[in-house]
Every structure is written in structure tokens, then in C-alpha cells.
Amino acid sequence: MKKIFLIILSLMLSSCTWNMIQISVFPDGNYSIVYESSGNTLDIENNDFLHPEDTAKWLTTLDKNSNNDIVKKTINVKPVKGKIAFIDEESLNYIINVEKKEYFFWDEYSFSSIVYDLEIDKKYPSIVNFLDIEGDEISWILPAKKYIIKTSLLEYQDSLTNDIFFEKINNQITTYFDYVEKDSLIDKIDINSSLIIKDALNPMVNKLPKNFFLEIQPIIDFHENEFEKNTALMNDYFLFNIELPGKMQRHNGENEEGILFWEIDFNEIATDNFEMYGKSIIMKKWRILISIFLVLALPLYRLRAIKKIIS
């Protein structure tokens, strides 16, 4: 437990927000989950990592720690069974699955979880610069904003009947971003993408369809919200830990006094899923002992029966 405590302490000191998911599996195969997040009010209230919100199944409390950070805790009201999935377009997505299999001589417990990747490499060009939060802002914000606007335009293209006009819009956007990049005008793009596209297309605003900005706004908002989620997760750290009944058999985490744990940061989920698993068993000693006794006793019983017949 000492190592886990030191990890939690280091995460609290080095990150904007740290999140812990603690799972305790009971002998009957059901389990409890405790979510704990610590950070400033803005970090806790944004949607990049959501605690469960169903008040009939979960209880949430808010408090402050000694550093004056907000501490949010959520626990399940009743034990959970089987698989649960947290899927939300504006938040980190993951699944948790706990299973119990009963055999004659032992019970087997298995845990598996997948934290789904953010697909940063597919969504934003210049992935190396994007992941390098030490780099200058223009190196990662620019390709990200390009992706948001150009993807939104492609989705909006279906409503345009004139492909040539669409090309003109696209060329104007490209020219605008080249101008921003050449003069390093970070203030031009470090704003909401809906404002960027209005500024970029201002020279041809009178030639645009009547409701162009109104119609494209929801599309841009969707991708902008996703971008904000991804960048908010840059300074989030996660600690998953689980306690399984019985003796640990195999796992891909770290084992501290029978508790498995995994540390997850942004880079580990930016382009790949993060997978966790663990398996343990509880031997049914009395059944084993009784079986051994019967195996040993049966020949003796048969031998005595044969002797009786002979005599």
C-alpha cells in the first residue's frame, strides 16, 4: 500500500487533475467502485472525465483537501455485477468487466478493462507536436483547428450543390491558415473554431449561402467539444486499482500486497487503447481434502469388502 500512496501523492503534486478508480471484488463476484478526482473547480466540472451520475445507483460528495483543491468522490449504492460501460462523446470512454466462474475445486475471478484511445493521430496532423505539450502553441493548435474546420466542411459539403464553390471555400480556409502559420498569429486560432471560420471566410461572406454559419455551427461545435476534451485530458492522470479475492494468478499491472494497479496518462491513451486484466482463484480446500480422503479411502473400503467375501 505504501507504493500506491506514493503514486497518488506524486500525481496530486504533478498534475492538474488526478483521478482514481478503485474496485473491490467480493467473494460472490459482485464489486464496488469508488471514483475520486482532485483538482480545481474548472477541472472537476469539465466533461473530459465523468463520474457516474445516476443518483439511484451512485452517491457523490464534494469536499476540499488541505491544498484547497476540490475532491469529488462517487461510490456505488449497491454492489455492481458483470460489465459496465461508460460511453460519452464528450468524455473519456471505457468499459469494466468482472466475472466469477465456479468450478468444483476452485472459484475463478477475472477483471478486464479497456480505456479507449482518443484517436489523436487520426484526427490531428502533426501528431508529434500535438503530443508535445512543451512545444510552442502554434505547433499543435494550428493542425488541430485545421482538422476541426476542414472536417466540419466535409460533413457540411453534402448540403452544397456546387462543388466548385466548395473548393473556393476550402481554398480560402487553406490561405487563411497559411497566413496564420507564416506570421505565427496564435491569437487568431486560440479561440473557438466557429469564430475562426467566420474570420477566415470574411472576404467572401457575401457569396456564402444565406444560413451557412448557422448550419455549420452544430457540426463545428461537436468537433470543438471533442478537441476540448482531448486537450483537457493532457494534464489528467489516472490510477486504476483493483482488489480481487484469493490468490493472484496473472495480470498485466503492478502488484502491491495483493492489489493490482495501473497508472495512465495522456500519452498512453492518445493513440492506443489501454487494456488491463487480472485473474485470481480461491481454492475450495474442504472439497479438495474430502476428495483426497475419498480417493484414499475407497481402495481401503474395497479391500476390506474383498477380505470379508474371502473369509
Side-chain angles (χ1 to χ4, degrees):
M1 289 298 291
K2 183 179 179 182
K3 187 173 183 179
I4 295 176
F5 172 77
L6 291 174
I7 290 171
I8 293 172
L9 182 61
S10 66
L11 292 181
M12 291 176 68
L13 294 175
S14 63
S15 62
C16 290
T17 307
W18 73 271
N19 306 281
M20 180 172 68
I21 298 94
Q22 182 176 342
I23 303 169
S24 299
V25 181
F26 306 123
D28 64 0
N30 293 334
Y31 56 100
S32 68
I33 306 181
V34 178
Y35 290 83
E36 184 171 346
S37 298
S38 177
N40 62 45
T41 303
L42 184 62
D43 290 330
I44 296 299
E45 290 180 351
N46 66 23
N47 291 330
D48 59 338
F49 177 69
L50 294 174
H51 286 210
E53 296 179 339
D54 186 343
T55 54
K57 297 179 181 178
W58 303 89
L59 178 65
T60 298
T61 60
L62 291 172
D63 205 348
K64 283 190 176 182
N65 61 19
S66 57
N67 296 325
N68 217 31
D69 286 332
I70 300 295
V71 177
K72 182 178 182 179
K73 284 187 179 182
T74 301
I75 61 173
N76 54 301
V77 176
K78 294 180 180 179
V80 182
K81 184 176 182 179
K83 181 179 179 179
I84 53 176
F86 296 89
I87 307 297
D88 189 295
E89 290 177 344
E90 297 182 5
S91 180
L92 186 67
N93 295 325
Y94 59 97
I95 60 170
I96 294 171
N97 190 33
V98 174
E99 293 181 342
K100 177 187 178 182
K101 293 181 180 178
E102 296 186 21
Y103 300 94
F104 188 77
F105 290 122
W106 67 84
D107 289 337
E108 182 181 271
Y109 300 85
S110 60
F111 158 79
S112 62
S113 180
I114 300 174
V115 180
Y116 292 107
D117 72 292
L118 303 173
E119 298 184 335
I120 299 297
D121 52 337
K122 298 176 183 177
K123 296 172 183 174
Y124 310 114
S126 304
I127 179 61
V128 176
N129 289 333
F130 184 77
L131 293 178
D132 180 16
I133 58 175
E134 300 297 327
D136 60 287
E137 290 182 288
I138 198 79
S139 68
W140 62 270
I141 292 181
L142 182 65
K145 294 294 185 175
K146 275 184 183 178
Y147 169 83
I148 293 170
I149 291 175
K150 296 213 168 187
T151 303
S152 299
L153 283 170
L154 283 172
E155 293 177 19
Y156 178 79
Q157 185 181 7
D158 293 337
S159 62
L160 289 175
T161 56
N162 189 333
D163 289 340
I164 296 176
F165 185 67
F166 176 77
E167 282 300 318
K168 288 182 179 179
I169 293 176
N170 224 5
N171 290 337
Q172 178 62 31
I173 294 292
T174 301
T175 301
Y176 180 84
F177 278 120
D178 288 344
Y179 152 70
V180 168
E181 185 172 16
K182 180 183 177 183
D183 294 341
S184 298
L185 302 174
I186 186 65
D187 292 341
K188 288 277 188 180
I189 57 170
D190 194 12
I191 54 176
N192 190 283
S193 297
S194 61
L195 298 176
I196 296 174
I197 196 170
K198 286 179 181 178
D199 191 34
L201 297 180
N202 186 57
M204 55 184 300
V205 67
N206 294 327
K207 299 177 183 178
L208 296 173
K210 184 177 180 181
N211 296 318
F212 174 80
F213 292 119
L214 187 65
E215 291 171 354
I216 202 171
Q217 180 82 42
I219 305 173
I220 289 179
D221 286 346
F222 170 80
H223 293 291
E224 184 76 15
N225 289 338
E226 194 172 57
F227 169 68
E228 289 176 0
K229 174 194 74 175
N230 293 336
T231 51
L233 283 168
M234 274 185 167
N235 291 315
D236 277 33
Y237 287 82
F238 298 87
L239 177 66
F240 269 76
N241 70 66
I242 181 167
E243 189 170 7
L244 291 166
K247 186 177 180 181
M248 202 65 61
Q249 294 297 294
R250 58 182 182 272
H251 61 85
N252 67 341
E254 293 193 52
N255 191 344
E256 177 74 12
E257 298 178 5
I259 298 176
L260 301 179
F261 65 92
W262 296 261
E263 299 173 73
I264 308 172
D265 64 19
F266 178 80
N267 287 338
E268 287 170 308
I269 55 174
T271 60
D272 295 295
N273 294 341
F274 189 91
E275 299 186 16
M276 300 166 273
Y277 67 84
K279 187 166 286 189
S280 69
I281 61 169
I282 293 181
M283 303 301 298
K284 299 175 181 177
K285 294 179 181 179
W286 280 108
R287 287 190 180 183
I288 295 172
L289 291 173
I290 291 171
S291 298
I292 293 172
F293 173 76
L294 290 174
V295 168
L296 295 176
L298 186 59
L300 294 175
Y301 175 78
R302 292 178 65 182
L303 182 61
R304 288 182 63 183
I306 292 169
K307 283 182 178 180
K308 266 188 176 183
I309 292 171
I310 294 174
S311 60

